[in-house]
Amino acid sequence: MWHKTFAGLLSGLIVMVLVPSSISLLLPNYIGVVLALGLIFALSTWAGVMTWCYAADSSKQAWLRAAKVSVPSIIIFIGIFFTAAGPTG
């Protein structure tokens, strides 16, 4: 039970932080709107990811579900960070 909870909590937090951060890097002129809406949608996404991981049949399946949402979020954020957040000028 704790493995599923920890998998959902960790992956939900990763998604909750990295998705709005990625969007704000892509749209720097609208950072206030992106972060405000990101908070609203990110909390819902976090709850959905945590529920989806907690509904798994085993702890291994919960970690696989967690990896399905957190690994792409990490990869996309790293890609955007190194391409969009570089020095300008």
Side-chain angles (χ1 to χ4, degrees):
M1 180 172 94
W2 287 106
H3 295 284
K4 295 191 283 187
T5 303
F6 188 64
L9 179 70
L10 184 64
S11 64
L13 288 174
I14 289 172
V15 171
M16 185 174 107
V17 170
L18 293 184
V19 170
S21 298
S22 298
I23 296 171
S24 69
L25 286 173
L26 290 174
L27 304 169
N29 294 333
Y30 302 104
I31 194 164
V33 175
V34 169
L35 293 179
L37 292 175
L39 268 175
I40 295 168
F41 293 118
L43 289 173
S44 301
T45 304
W46 172 69
V49 169
M50 192 158 175
T51 303
W52 186 49
C53 289
Y54 195 72
D57 294 329
S58 65
S59 60
K60 181 179 179 181
Q61 185 182 20
W63 281 106
L64 287 174
R65 288 180 178 187
K68 284 181 184 178
V69 292
S70 60
V71 170
S73 298
I74 293 169
I75 291 171
I76 290 170
F77 176 77
I78 290 171
I80 290 172
F81 180 78
F82 284 117
T83 56
T88 58

